Amino acid sequence: MEKNLESNTVKNNIYCYDDFMNIIQDLIENPIVKQMRNFNQHANTSCYQHCMQVAYYTYCMCKLFHLDYISATRGAMLHDLFLYDWHTHKRPDRKWTHQHAFLHPKIALKNAKEAFSLNAIEQDVILNHMWPVTIQIPHFKETVIVTFADKYSACRETFCHIQKSLHTKKLYKYAYVFLSLIIFRIV
């Protein structure tokens, strides 16, 4: 992931990989944040990798639009700090067992507050990044950027996983070729 970011980084004043890494360095060295590597997020992407991607997209967009890119990037790195595998997790109270999308922002915020001192933007990013799925509306432009970066990253991770499986499994490969021929024939 880190090498991909470095190779895709435009080497100028707007997008600087070293600057991005300096902003989140204390976060990624923290043992609590490192635990995110143990949990699957989307397809074969760990929660840590997902947060790194969202943080980088956020960094680029917020810097481009002259927003508080530091707070937004740090919040994006912590936005999914819920520390469990949401695919298999069962809540102890058995209430809302399949409501991860609605509940994880509060859990992530609680975990982030216990480990770090957060400003208002960072807290808003973590708590409201699931809009419009959740009713809570973002209070800052930076949170809106993180919200869209999160959705883009999730779609990209899932699409890449599906695409990879289509190209590696023989049955899917033939089905993919067959469907492509049908689609191109129609168009």
Side-chain angles (χ1 to χ4, degrees), residues 97-115:
T97 54
H98 299 291
Q99 299 300 320
H100 168 76
F102 302 101
L103 299 176
H104 83 271
K106 291 179 183 175
I107 297 167
L109 181 60
K110 178 183 167 288
N111 291 340
K113 278 183 166 181
E114 289 174 1

Side-chain angles (χ1 to χ4, degrees), residues 35 39 47 58 63 66 96 109 151 161-162 171 174 180:
Q35 287 181 38
F39 304 106
C47 193
T58 298
K63 200 144 189 199
H66 306 287
W96 297 83
L109 181 60
K151 306 308 176 267
H161 174 72
I162 291 169
L171 176 65
Y174 289 123
S180 297

Side-chain angles (χ1 to χ4, degrees), residues 16 28 44 56 61 115 131 139 143:
C16 179
I28 62 176
N44 289 331
Y56 184 71
M61 295 303 293
W131 180 82
H139 296 99
T143 307

